[in-house]
DNA sequence: CATATCGTTGTAATTATAACAATTTCAAAA
DNA sequence: TTTTGAAATTGTTATAATTACAACGATATG
């Protein structure tokens, strides 16, 4: 899979380029995690001068632009996820890891109407025990 | 619809009865909102002596017992919802009201396996503009 | 009645996030 | 090159939700 260029993405969205934005986006692209603001900070604070305020500002900016999704799968932290293909998420209640779920049998909803409400987005969160923890528990 | 008796519910779950628990559950049963800890406090703090600590303790207890569901549809607050029929939720980005969504075309998922993960619960959150706000905006 | 357990309270601590004023950056204009 | 001004970033402070915990109180059991 070709990793997209953060600078290109920013340009496509008419967002002026700064080192901080590039670094944050770069990290979101290369990680397979669904990092919190905190994780982003500790991962890239050595690569560029940046503060927490910038992280939050930038993530809000990216969210508005549709570059990232905020996940509220986890009770007390917001996780961020770069938008590629639409997909859903699974949180393991044992190891707390978040997995991407692609290709659900259904994925309609958006641009739809339910009970008269106009639906713009839908988030589906699954909770349970992940395959890794299932394996471990068997032993 | 017959409103269930809070004391009966507590007994069924082997939870010792206290005034606070009864009052909290009573409120959850009679309200059509999806209150936050805060709302619960301000609604019933005059009916019984109770503190925030008790609200949270009780809500966690109820959640574990399966009497209520924690909703994380809203970025920075937890909303609580009494468990009756399984259903999903819609949050209006204009008026912030949460609506119950019953009878989605699909509702399988639980006790299922996806990508090898064992699914125990699924939460579906819809976001958009509710029918009331749609009406208002038309005028 | 004595005592052990459980529930509640009140307060203090913690954590994530937001707000804000001061400073810096940087590109365009002069 | 220098100036200028908007936008971005910083560091700090504030806020709000939630949790932790020690002390107190009620209750049930023997």
């Amino acid at each position: 899979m070709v990793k997209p260029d953060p600078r290109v993405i920013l340009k496509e969205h008419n967002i002026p380029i700064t080192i901080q934005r590039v670094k944050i986006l770069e990290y979101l692209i290369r990680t397979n995690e669904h990092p919190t603001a905190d994780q982003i900070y500790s991962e890239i604070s050595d690569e560029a001068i940046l503060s927490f305020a910038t992280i939050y500002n930038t993530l809000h900016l990216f969210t508005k632009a549709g570059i990232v999704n905020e996940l509220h799968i986890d009770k007390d932290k917001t996780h961020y996820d770069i938008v590629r293909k639409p997909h859903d998420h699974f949180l393991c209640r044992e190891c707390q890891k978040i997995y991407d779920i692609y290709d659900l049998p259904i994925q309609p909803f958006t641009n739809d109407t339910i009970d008269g409400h106009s639906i713009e987005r839908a988030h589906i969160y699954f909770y349970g025990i992940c395959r890794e923890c299932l394996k471990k528990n068997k032993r």
Side-chain angles (χ1 to χ4, degrees), chain A:
Chain A
M1 199 212 325
V2 186
K3 300 265 176 182
D5 182 341
R7 286 164 193 275
V8 172
I9 295 179
L10 291 175
K11 262 181 206 150
E12 280 172 2
H13 288 84
N14 288 315
I15 296 174
I17 289 173
T18 70
I19 326 136
Q20 287 81 359
R21 286 170 182 170
V22 171
K23 288 289 175 189
I24 291 173
L25 190 46
E26 214 168 65
Y27 175 64
L28 288 170
I29 291 169
R30 79 162 175 271
T31 186
N32 288 316
E33 320 259 318
H34 302 75
T36 59
D38 201 58
Q39 278 171 54
I40 296 172
Y41 182 80
S42 54
E43 282 295 331
I44 64 174
S45 58
D46 52 335
E47 296 178 19
I49 293 160
L50 94 171
S51 73
F52 258 99
T54 301
I55 301 224
Y56 280 110
N57 286 341
T58 304
L59 289 172
H60 291 162
L61 185 69
F62 288 178
T63 302
K64 269 193 201 158
I67 298 174
V68 304
N69 255 332
E70 296 187 345
L71 304 185
H72 301 299
I73 195 171
D74 186 343
K75 201 179 155 62
D76 31 43
K77 289 159 189 234
T78 302
H79 292 257
Y80 294 87
D81 188 33
I82 189 136
V83 173
R84 282 177 248 201
K85 257 175 77 175
H87 62 274
D88 304 295
H89 296 90
F90 172 91
L91 172 66
C92 177
R93 74 164 152 82
E94 197 152 307
C95 67
Q96 308 300 323
K97 230 177 115 179
I98 296 173
Y99 290 82
D100 292 318
I101 304 292
Y102 287 97
D103 306 318
L104 263 198
I106 36 81
Q107 193 66 259
F109 299 140
T110 18
N111 301 320
D112 213 345
T113 291
I114 298 179
D115 293 356
H117 314 307
S118 135
I119 309 292
E120 296 167 349
R121 305 180 287 123
H123 280 193
I124 305 184
Y125 300 119
F126 296 98
Y127 303 86
I129 304 286
C130 77
R131 53 177 174 243
E132 298 302 323
C133 289
L134 285 174
K135 250 191 240 165
K136 260 181 237 152
N137 295 348
K138 267 188 196 156
R139 288 179 214 143

